[in-house]
């Protein structure tokens, strides 16, 4: 599957990195410094004192950049703080009027 993970923090990084280690194609939407680090070094997942590096991931800095390559994503994983939801949805609607299904893994209270 081709998965777009919106957010590369603790939740997005772990879920996206784990999916990549399982063989899925994963692209992260991340802040510029995080995107640069992911593109340069991959993503390290630590679990039970074991580290695994997923080097088959990529990162972009916006939905527009993610969809500009005409990649057909099978799913978008939302892994953002709740206060970032409105801006993320607006950016996503601009980049893709008909996005694939969205799996919401956001943390935060009263997130709609």
């Amino acid at each position: 599957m081709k998965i777009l993970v919106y957010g590369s923090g603790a939740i997005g990084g772990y879920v996206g990195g784990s999916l990549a280690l399982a063989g899925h194609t994963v692209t992260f939407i991340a802040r510029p410094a995080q995107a640069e680090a992911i593109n340069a070094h991959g993503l390290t997942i630590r679990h039970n004192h074991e580290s695994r590096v997923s080097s088959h991931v990529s990162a972009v800095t916006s939905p527009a950049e993610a969809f500009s390559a005409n990649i057909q994503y099978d799913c978008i994983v939302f892994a953002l703080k709740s206060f970032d939801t409105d801006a993320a949805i607006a950016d996503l609607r601009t980049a893709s009027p008909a996005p694939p299904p969205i799996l919401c893994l956001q943390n935060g209270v009263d997130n709609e």
Side-chain angles (χ1 to χ4, degrees), residues 64-86:
E65 189 178 353
F67 285 97
S68 69
N70 288 328
I71 296 173
Q72 298 295 318
Y73 296 102
D74 297 299
C75 178
I76 298 174
V77 175
F78 254 47
L80 304 166
K81 300 287 186 191
S82 59
F83 52 79
D84 289 328
T85 302
D86 290 337

Side-chain angles (χ1 to χ4, degrees), residues 2-85:
K2 293 178 183 158
I3 301 165
L4 180 62
V5 179
Y6 207 137
S8 61
I11 294 171
Y14 184 78
V15 170
S18 296
L19 287 166
L21 287 169
H24 299 282
T25 301
V26 177
T27 301
F28 290 92
I29 298 175
R31 292 186 176 106
Q34 291 171 315
E36 184 178 332
I38 290 168
N39 288 329
H41 306 291
L43 194 68
T44 301
I45 302 294
R46 291 185 178 93
H47 181 70
N48 291 336
H49 306 290
E50 180 184 341
S51 293
R52 296 176 65 195
V53 177
S54 177
S55 57
H56 300 291
V57 295
S58 62
V60 296
T61 59
S62 70
E65 189 178 353
F67 285 97
S68 69
N70 288 328
I71 296 173
Q72 298 295 318
Y73 296 102
D74 297 299
C75 178
I76 298 174
V77 175
F78 254 47
L80 304 166
K81 300 287 186 191
S82 59
F83 52 79
D84 289 328
T85 302

